[in-house]
Amino acid sequence: MMATKITLKTPKGMRDIGPQQMLIREKIFKLITDCFKRHGAQELDTPVCELRETLTGKYGEEAKLIYDLADQGGEILSLRYDLTVPFARYLAQHKTHSMKRYQIAKVYRRDNPKTTKGRFREFYQCDFDIAGPSDTMIADSECLRMLYECLNDLDLKNFLIKINHRRLISGMFEIAGVPKEKFKATCSAIDKLGKLTWDEIKKEMCVEKGLEEKSADKIGELIKHHGSIEILDSLLNQELGTNTEAKAGLEELKLLHSYCDALGINSSIEYDLSLARGLDYYTGLIYEVVLKNDELELGSIAAGGRYDGLVSTLSDNKHNIPCIGVSLGIERILAIIEQRMSNITQPGVNCYVVSIGDDMVAERLKILRELWSEGISAEHSYKAKSPKLMKEIPHCEEHNIPFIIIIGQDEVKSGTVKIKDLKKREQSEVERGKLVEFVKEKLADQK
């Protein structure tokens, strides 16, 4: 019977991450985590899947990208789409009233991937959220400052934080005559700006979603406004300033501006009325980050906003927690950083232990145990009898291992070991009990 040939490939939109890329990721995740912790965030982890009903109705049109799983044991599950809804579920389930949290984990989207542009079906998100009561725009401004610091720590200084407000968008829709029942659908359509042309979006709104053409045209005029603080003052004195919702949104953004000025980040901010963020759970401030010179056409590299009502939808409106958060699209960021850090190398092994003669494996292992216990990296041959020393030296030189530790019957009898320094081409004999101390001194000299 012939064996069935197995197709060896990763699933569409997913990939293996090799050792070189993992080195870069380790470094980048460390920088991001340090920034999160600097702002007092605690780490949280949640399951890779949620009850499907938990995710239903939270993402608008994006819900079609949720990965549904087969029924296992009577629970209808889906892979998590983002880290925000699982966090809201955690707050509701544990009746938590305030928490500053971060989470770095994989999420899943049944999308048509464009891997060359950092878009995958399985990818990491790096989230930072502040849950709990906060006076207007105070927690929001800290999220923006944290984001600003994080991107600078990653040496991505040429970025722009685009900002809008859901109440301002609602005011625009009211002025344009959009029926309330079409607000979410219209917002989802505008969110596609950049991916689609305005003509394509207008067609979607009017033909597919039944919006009147004059309403679409009015929206098209309003979303052209973007700029610095002056644009907010100008809009308050125009038609938007006469609408209750739009005026409230504009005034909150002006307050945010004063806080961001105190935090020193206003030079990186632009107010943009075309920014929509199509997810249903956003209620206030929304923002996303783009690179000014996006040569890879990656789109936004981070995004977030306020979602004050999400927790209550998961707790039958009995437990409401205001929340603001941001998520870094780390795969898109890594697409840039991996080009810069292609030469990064794994920290080398410090020592290579060689035993001379028969029945010396146990002595070799004792030395390794001592080195590892003291945090000194070490390797050895997996053969019972080590190859001849002249054959081990090329291996050490190839892998930049600076010290070879040699033990044989003579060394066991004399209570010593020999240490060969490959860089200085020197060999020392050291008392067995002083081995670790000697190696540490040698390693310190190399720094």
Side-chain angles (χ1 to χ4, degrees):
M1 183 177 178
M2 293 183 63
T4 304
K5 185 178 180 180
I6 299 173
T7 301
L8 298 177
K9 65 182 290 293
T10 55
K12 184 178 181 182
M14 302 181 184
R15 58 177 178 162
D16 296 320
I17 307 296
Q20 181 68 18
Q21 288 175 295
M22 286 305 300
L23 282 175
I24 297 171
R25 283 169 180 255
E26 182 182 11
K27 183 179 179 67
I28 297 310
F29 286 159
K30 172 78 165 53
L31 287 171
I32 293 171
T33 299
D34 287 348
C35 187
F36 289 164
K37 288 182 176 179
R38 190 160 65 235
H39 285 262
Q42 298 174 297
E43 188 173 15
L44 179 70
D45 191 24
T46 56
V48 72
C49 57
E50 295 280 344
L51 294 177
R52 191 177 303 169
E53 63 188 57
T54 300
L55 305 183
T56 302
K58 311 300 188 301
Y59 302 109
E61 292 184 2
E62 300 299 311
K64 65 180 181 292
L65 303 182
I66 294 174
Y67 263 112
D68 291 328
L69 303 177
D71 183 354
Q72 297 288 343
E75 287 190 325
I76 310 301
L77 305 175
S78 299
L79 292 176
R80 60 188 173 204
Y81 177 89
D82 65 5
L83 301 178
T84 304
V85 172
F87 176 51
R89 189 266 307 152
Y90 175 90
L91 294 173
Q93 180 179 340
H94 296 275
K95 295 181 172 54
T96 303
H97 295 278
S98 66
M99 183 179 187
K100 190 182 288 186
R101 86 80 151 98
Y102 77 90
Q103 185 173 359
I104 298 176
K106 287 182 178 180
V107 299
Y108 299 84
R109 298 186 183 177
R110 195 168 47 84
D111 202 354
N112 185 26
K114 295 180 180 178
T115 55
T116 57
K117 297 184 178 181
R119 295 168 188 163
F120 301 89
R121 287 182 165 181
E122 177 190 60
F123 57 95
Y124 274 98
Q125 282 189 337
C126 304
D127 278 26
F128 171 93
D129 294 79
I130 302 173
S134 166
D135 285 344
T136 305
M137 291 297 165
I138 296 178
D140 309 58
S141 64
E142 181 176 351
C143 267
L144 294 176
R145 173 66 198 187
M146 187 287 304
L147 181 57
Y148 174 90
E149 290 175 14
C150 200
L151 294 172
N152 275 281
D153 289 349
L154 295 172
D155 199 26
L156 295 171
K157 296 181 173 65
N158 194 26
F159 63 86
L160 191 65
I161 306 174
K162 294 189 173 187
I163 288 177
N164 202 359
H165 199 294
R166 272 296 176 88
R167 295 187 73 179
L168 179 52
I169 294 172
S170 295
M172 286 195 296
F173 289 172
E174 287 180 4
I175 289 171
V178 179
K180 283 193 179 296
E181 64 271 16
K182 294 186 184 294
F183 272 24
K184 289 181 179 179
T186 305
C187 196
S188 293
I190 295 173
D191 188 44
K192 297 172 185 174
L193 267 174
K195 299 176 185 176
L196 302 176
T197 65
W198 170 249
D199 287 340
E200 290 172 321
I201 289 171
K202 179 180 175 181
K203 181 181 178 182
E204 178 181 328
M205 288 193 294
C206 297
V207 177
E208 298 176 25
K209 298 177 177 175
L211 193 66
E212 291 188 13
E213 188 171 348
K214 64 179 182 180
S215 294
D217 289 337
K218 184 64 175 178
I219 291 171
E221 292 175 16
L222 292 170
I223 64 174
K224 290 178 182 177
H225 294 288
H226 64 91
S228 58
I229 183 63
E230 290 76 20
I231 196 71
L232 302 181
D233 293 324
S234 174
L235 292 171
L236 275 168
N237 295 320
Q238 297 178 34
E239 190 176 10
L240 283 171
T242 65
N243 178 274
T244 303
E245 281 292 287
K247 184 178 180 181
L250 288 167
E251 288 177 342
E252 286 196 9
L253 290 180
K254 286 195 68 176
L255 180 60
L256 176 71
H257 177 84
S258 68
Y259 293 158
C260 289
D261 187 49
L263 291 169
I265 62 175
N266 271 332
S267 61
S268 298
I269 287 175
E270 179 184 78
Y271 301 96
D272 188 344
L273 270 64
S274 70
L275 178 64
R277 304 294 298 148
L279 301 179
D280 283 358
Y281 53 65
Y282 287 124
T283 57
L285 178 71
I286 52 174
Y287 42 88
E288 69 177 26
V289 179
V290 296
L291 296 174
K292 293 178 182 177
N293 298 315
D294 187 3
E295 296 177 1
L296 298 178
E297 298 180 352
L298 297 172
S300 65
I301 59 171
R306 179 159 286 281
Y307 51 101
D308 285 350
L310 182 56
V311 176
S312 64
T313 65
L314 297 168
S315 58
D316 298 324
N317 297 312
K318 295 177 182 177
H319 182 68
N320 187 44
I321 302 295
C323 298
I324 177 79
V326 62
S327 177
L328 282 88
I330 193 65
E331 303 297 344
R332 297 182 183 185
I333 290 172
L334 283 164
I336 302 163
I337 294 177
E338 283 176 356
Q339 293 182 336
R340 299 182 193 162
M341 300 176 67
S342 58
N343 294 325
I344 189 171
T345 57
Q346 174 78 36
V349 173
N350 300 135
C351 302
Y352 194 90
V353 183
V354 175
S355 57
I356 306 297
D358 298 327
D359 301 321
M360 292 296 296
V361 173
E363 294 297 330
R364 193 197 318 164
L365 294 177
K366 287 178 187 177
I367 291 176
L368 287 162
R369 182 190 70 193
E370 288 180 36
L371 295 171
W372 291 333
S373 296
E374 291 295 323
I376 300 170
S377 59
E379 288 185 338
H380 70 128
S381 168
Y382 294 110
K383 294 182 180 297
K385 185 175 180 180
S386 293
K388 291 183 179 180
L389 184 59
M390 294 309 296
K391 291 185 177 180
E392 302 281 36
I393 291 175
H395 168 84
C396 293
E397 290 177 333
E398 181 184 349
H399 293 87
N400 293 314
I401 302 174
F403 301 108
I404 297 179
I405 299 172
I406 306 162
I407 188 163
Q409 294 289 354
D410 292 343
E411 285 74 29
V412 172
K413 290 177 183 177
S414 64
T416 62
V417 292
K418 290 187 174 70
I419 300 180
K420 185 178 286 291
D421 185 331
L422 293 180
K423 291 185 178 179
K424 294 183 177 180
R425 300 295 176 183
E426 297 175 351
Q427 182 167 300
S428 305
E429 188 166 341
V430 181
E431 288 182 30
R432 181 73 176 78
K434 295 182 178 180
L435 168 62
V436 169
E437 180 185 350
F438 183 87
V439 172
K440 283 185 175 181
E441 288 176 358
K442 284 286 189 179
L443 291 173
D445 290 341
Q446 289 189 341
K447 292 181 180 179

